[in-house]
């Protein structure tokens, strides 16, 4: 059994920020699902309609997994629980599915540069959270 060392304040701050980040992600995915479910896609500009039409359903599932597992994993970090790591890995796997969908979409429609930049930021944060959980586990901050 590892000896629990004192958890630094910066870790708690990052865990809170991660939780907030993933809450925003959940809201964004929920809003996206509402647009599809209500048929509001038809009211969007043609280029945005093309993006929705080109998106594979499994990429949407990846998005849902990414944000829900990320939210739960971030909560696990805040609670200092070991189960945060597998959830953050599941979030990263969901993000990989989502990004594969982006790659396939890029073959059929032109993706806005901002969307690609945002995906890169999301991926960097997801990897960072996995690394944070790994560090916390090695330092004995998770139980």
């Amino acid at each position: 059994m590892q000896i629990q060392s004192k958890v630094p304040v910066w870790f708690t701050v990052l865990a809170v920020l991660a939780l907030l980040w993933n809450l925003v992600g959940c809201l964004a995915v929920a809003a996206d699902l509402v647009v599809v479910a209500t048929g509001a896609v038809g009211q969007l500009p043609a280029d945005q309609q093309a993006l929705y039409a080109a998106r594979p359903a499994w990429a949407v599932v990846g998005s849902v997994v990414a944000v829900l597992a990320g939210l739960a994993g971030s909560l696990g970090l805040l609670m200092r629980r070991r189960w945060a790591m597998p959830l953050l890995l599941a979030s990263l796997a969901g993000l990989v599915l989502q990004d594969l969908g982006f790659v396939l979409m890029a073959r059929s429609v032109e993706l806005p540069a901002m969307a690609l930049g945002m995906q890169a930021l999301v991926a960097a944060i997801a990897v960072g959270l996995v690394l944070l959980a790994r560090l916390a586990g090695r330092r004995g901050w998770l139980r």
Side-chain angles (χ1 to χ4, degrees):
M1 181 174 191
Q2 266 186 326
I3 297 171
Q4 294 274 334
S5 60
K6 184 172 165 88
V7 177
V9 173
W10 63 261
F11 176 81
T12 304
V13 169
L14 287 179
V16 168
L17 291 174
L19 187 67
L20 294 173
W21 170 259
N22 280 290
L23 273 172
V24 170
C26 285
L27 292 173
V29 169
D32 181 65
L33 294 174
V34 166
V35 166
V36 172
T38 61
V41 173
Q43 299 171 358
L44 297 173
D47 59 334
Q48 290 181 12
Q49 288 182 37
L51 290 174
Y52 275 93
R55 184 172 61 175
W58 50 263
V60 176
V61 171
S63 298
V64 172
V65 168
V67 296
L68 292 178
L71 181 66
S74 296
L75 182 61
L77 283 179
L78 191 58
M79 295 171 63
R80 297 182 34 226
R81 298 288 189 242
R82 288 198 180 276
W83 46 259
M85 176 60 105
L87 287 168
L88 292 171
L89 286 170
S91 176
L92 186 57
L95 183 62
V96 168
L97 276 179
Q98 178 185 350
D99 286 349
L100 286 173
F102 260 65
V103 168
L104 292 177
M105 283 173 39
R107 291 182 174 175
S108 59
V109 294
E110 185 177 333
L111 295 173
M114 186 173 136
L116 296 174
M118 187 64 177
Q119 278 309 112
L121 175 64
V122 169
I125 291 171
V127 169
L129 290 177
V130 168
L131 294 174
L132 180 64
R134 184 175 170 204
L135 174 70
R138 282 193 311 219
R139 298 240 175 122
W141 300 339
L142 304 179
R143 52 187 185 275

